[in-house]
Amino acid sequence: MTKKILSSPLFFPLLIISIGILVAILNYTPGTFLTGWDTLHPEFNFPLNFKRLLFGVWRPEQGLGAVSGHSAMADLPRVFILWILHFALPLSVLRYSYIYLCLIFGLVGIYFLSLKLFNHRLLSFAGSIFYLLNLGTVQQFYVPFEMFPTAWAFLPWIILYSIKYLTHPKASTLGLFALITLFSTPQAYAAHLWYPLFGAYLLFLIIFSVVNKIKIIIPLTLILTTLFINSFWLLPNLYYLKTSANVPQQNQQNRLHSQEFLLKNRETGDIADSTLIRGFYLNWDIYNFQSHTFQKLMPAWRTHFQNFDVQLIGYSLFIFAFSGFVISIFKRDTILAFSPFFIVPFILLSNSTVPFSYLFDILLKVPLLSEILRFVFTKLSHLYIFGQAIFLLYFLLNISKYINIITSSLLLCASLIIYAFPIFQGQLISPLVRTTIPSSYFSLNKSLSNSSGRMLTLPLHNPSGWTYNSWGYQGSGFIWFGLPLGVLDRDSDRWELANEEAYREFYTALYTSNPNEIAKYLHKYKINYLLWDQSTTTTYPKNQDQITYKYEIEKITQNLLNQKILTDPQIFGSTILYHVSDDSLVQVASSLPNVTPTYHWHYFDTAYQGFDYQTDPSISSTNLSFRSIISPTNKVNVGIFPENDPELPIISFNASDIYELHRRSPNLTYDTQTSSLGIYTRSDTHGINLSFENLPHNRPYLVGLKSNYLSGIPLRFCFKNTTTSLCLVEDELSKHSTSQWDYFFIPPSDDNFGYSLDLNAISYAKTLSLSQIQEVKISPLPDSLFSSPQLTPSVTKNITAQSFFNQTLLKVNIPSKSTSSNLILNQSFNAGWIAFYIKENQPQFLTHHVIINNWANGWTLPSKFTNQTVYIFFWPQLLELGGLILVITTFIWIIRSKK
């Protein structure tokens, strides 16, 4: 009877499913949401998020609007699955359910693929157990971001049906391959995860076809089917790469911290870590709300892997898999086709090991590859796990002459249980991302369900976009998934420069305690709602209320309420919602003053005086050169260097002065020949601090630092307001190989006194960071530099617009107009926006596209333009729609081929 059960083709699949369910139960906390870290929650409003995904090339919910940097539309199949599940499951369980479905689906997939390759049920079962019980899989699920479990789950199925089609090409097999490929597309939410997979897949097809002498048309059909099925997100992503790929690179937080993330990945880039599939998550820190301190993200796993026996199992698994790869080379076996999933990731994950480190350094010089390899572990580890599983089983099959397959398979399973035992102790998914979301957020969503416009979130203390809420949440945020509004939040800054500039202007106005300036920017950026979440906190254990400016925000909001600028405050738990204005998405303005130049970064806009203006270089204008004083790298443009205030002294420190103040500090060297102070570190942070206790905050300053760069991460500069303990300006010094000046503009803030200047060398992965500083000086600037010009006020009127396709198409009826009128679209300026009207059955385009208020879109309307209908369209949306048509056409072609 037992033998009959074991021989049943359903026994092992059902056993695998049972194990997957057991793991899911052990890693579930009833009554909680799976939320935190990087989070997607379309289940908070299915109709809204379906619309955003179907018409998602332009993202109006991302602050002031942005081209889709993430391929969010790729998430459509997953949202469809969640929508089906929501009829049977509670809201809090939906995200859990998808993650655990991926777990089970991937385990069953690797079983059937192994069965196809090796034709042995127990050996294939052991392959599934390895696919589950390894450190790489744990890191795919520990703080789950949907695209990683999806990629892990669908890879075995994609390869299985590729092999089936390559060996026996049938329309039915191709149809199943296309369907699997379609439901795998959520892995491309961040397209940089999909591109390495596609590259490895191409190599697999080439090797498999050559070894098995397959006609080229068969693998080419798979390649084209893959591209066609992915085209609905791939075509918009190619547009983004062509037009906007430089935006995240210019975002200050990305520019500063990408190099840190890269080095943190390279910390685990030696052979020992690569063989164990040990990535940067093991070294990452997470905030503990109970102890108010940071702790390691994976403490249980770090403790577990200190056990030598556990490490020995891990190293042995790699040696066996690598031996399988070597055997496949000598035998020239079909299994060799899996080497791109094993050897290529192993080489790139061993990026701190000679000679692989040299290759990795070369690849980093390619812009697209540098972005992919910034988080190299998350991009390649699932491929590596998959490849290692295949070659491990192949090795066991080839030693069956010496060790019975049944014996070796059972030994493997037993070893794996020991190797990854914390999974059965609830450590597959971090307990810290199983959180109870307060019901007040859902009440807020319900209250605003029929609203439109744009919302600004408070507080503004954290520029990184990583949110900490006192009720236990830490991550990239979630409120926009349930709100039909654009949300001006830090998470959107990296996708649109105007979002970050808006933050800088609001931040400066807030931390100068200037309600009038805040009111001005609320109008400039057409903010309809203000949301203050008082549960948003900081990780600093002291002065939390001061850092988040809690009491100052109370005074400012009360002032704005008294002025009737804010109205209708509503309280939802820890959040307060204020209504600001009814400014519409589309407006018509007349007599717009023209101000040049545009600016990339600044801290305030002296040209905006409560009424709109345009920037059109082709006509006469009011020139305010100081608007563009700050370069894209946040340093002062030397060509527009302001004069110092002659009435105030310049504060200056040379290297000798600084060294005397810090003589006992570690990691400093003083070169008497060059009069340079060397600041260095390796795998740590060290630096200096200069205090200016009597320096008033209400004055603007220019801070100059003369330095030269030698290696590692450049010196990190922080000019800190000692009242708030926040960096008023934070950036890094330039990579000058010779001694040169960097200048930073310090805007005026509050009426208090006291600054400090921190200069730190930062290092990860044992990389030596070394720079030399020669001089520091602080120059007060005259207030006259920031005087507002006298501009002729413009008149702006709201226009009702019919919105279609998630605001990518707008129909506007223009009433009678005066001369020199402009049509304004209050979305971030982008060349993809076009405006046209129909005349004599032909589209007539408004070709004069200008920037309004240094961020929005404007078109000059022609004369004698009365009672006309204008259409505003974001034309790249056609790429997604065309891709969806291509997906449907592909399935129709396959079905018709079957007939």
Side-chain angles (χ1 to χ4, degrees), residues 233-292:
W233 69 262
L234 182 58
L235 293 176
N237 185 252
L238 293 175
Y239 171 82
Y240 169 81
L241 292 176
K242 175 69 176 177
T243 63
S244 305
N246 64 328
V247 172
Q249 297 169 13
Q250 295 181 68
N251 170 257
Q252 186 180 22
Q253 293 300 309
N254 271 7
R255 180 169 52 79
L256 291 181
H257 299 300
S258 287
Q259 54 196 333
E260 297 177 14
F261 298 149
L262 174 62
L263 289 175
K264 285 181 179 180
N265 270 258
R266 300 191 78 168
E267 274 186 327
T268 52
D270 56 35
I271 293 293
D273 290 321
S274 299
T275 53
L276 295 177
I277 326 179
R278 184 163 54 194
F280 67 95
Y281 279 155
L282 272 296
N283 298 333
W284 206 271
D285 292 330
I286 193 169
Y287 187 67
N288 187 310
F289 287 93
Q290 281 70 45
S291 64
H292 301 289

Side-chain angles (χ1 to χ4, degrees), residues 509-708:
L510 178 66
Y511 279 89
T512 56
S513 298
N514 192 331
N516 293 329
E517 283 288 292
I518 293 174
K520 183 177 81 170
Y521 293 126
L522 289 173
H523 188 238
K524 174 184 174 180
Y525 291 106
K526 314 305 177 189
I527 303 298
N528 304 96
Y529 295 93
L530 183 68
L531 182 71
W532 180 20
D533 189 344
Q534 296 184 24
S535 74
T536 302
T537 186
T538 174
T539 58
Y540 288 94
K542 297 180 179 179
N543 301 322
Q544 291 187 344
D545 288 345
Q546 183 58 45
I547 292 173
T548 58
Y549 236 46
K550 179 178 179 180
Y551 301 112
E552 289 79 2
I553 291 176
E554 287 180 352
K555 294 178 181 179
I556 290 171
T557 52
Q558 187 58 53
N559 182 295
L560 295 175
L561 282 168
N562 293 339
Q563 296 184 56
K564 307 298 183 183
I565 294 169
L566 302 182
T567 58
D568 305 325
Q570 300 178 63
I571 299 176
F572 301 90
S574 62
T575 63
I576 305 177
L577 176 70
Y578 303 91
H579 181 258
V580 182
S581 75
D582 293 315
D583 284 338
S584 63
L585 183 63
V586 179
Q587 297 173 313
V588 170
S590 59
S591 304
L592 285 177
N594 194 45
V595 179
T596 57
T598 58
Y599 58 92
H600 190 105
W601 300 136
H602 218 302
Y603 300 96
F604 39 76
D605 184 359
T606 56
Y608 191 83
Q609 299 166 18
F611 49 84
D612 298 323
Y613 66 89
Q614 68 175 359
T615 300
D616 183 356
S618 66
I619 61 177
S620 60
S621 63
T622 300
N623 187 280
L624 302 176
S625 59
F626 191 72
R627 283 161 56 90
S628 59
I629 188 175
I630 302 175
S631 73
T633 57
N634 205 37
K635 299 173 180 66
V636 170
N637 284 316
V638 178
I640 321 172
F641 191 83
E643 296 294 333
N644 299 325
D645 189 337
E647 298 180 2
L648 294 174
I650 295 176
I651 302 172
S652 180
F653 290 86
N654 58 37
S656 176
D657 299 331
I658 300 172
Y659 183 65
E660 288 300 320
L661 290 170
H662 299 83
R663 182 178 288 273
R664 295 184 179 181
S665 300
N667 298 66
L668 298 181
T669 61
Y670 182 67
D671 187 337
T672 55
Q673 292 184 346
T674 61
S675 298
S676 297
L677 177 67
I679 305 176
Y680 66 94
T681 189
R682 195 186 295 271
S683 300
D684 207 341
T685 299
H686 287 282
I688 62 167
N689 171 271
L690 298 175
S691 180
F692 311 100
E693 296 179 357
N694 298 318
L695 206 60
H697 295 173
N698 60 3
R699 297 299 306 268
Y701 300 95
L702 191 72
V703 175
L705 300 106
K706 190 178 182 182
S707 68
N708 61 294

Side-chain angles (χ1 to χ4, degrees), residues 134-136 139 273-279 377 381 384-385 388:
N134 68 83
L135 190 54
Q139 291 165 95
D273 290 321
S274 299
T275 53
L276 295 177
I277 326 179
R278 184 163 54 194
F377 184 83
S381 56
Y384 184 43
I385 298 162
Q388 189 169 338

Side-chain angles (χ1 to χ4, degrees), residues 2 27 32 88 96 146 178 206 337 403 472 487-488 607 680 746 774 792 823 865 867:
T2 303
N27 286 271
T32 64
Y96 277 111
E146 281 75 355
I206 292 170
I403 303 178
V487 180
L488 196 57
Y680 66 94
I746 309 299
Q774 286 82 36
T792 303
L823 177 64
F865 195 82
N867 296 325

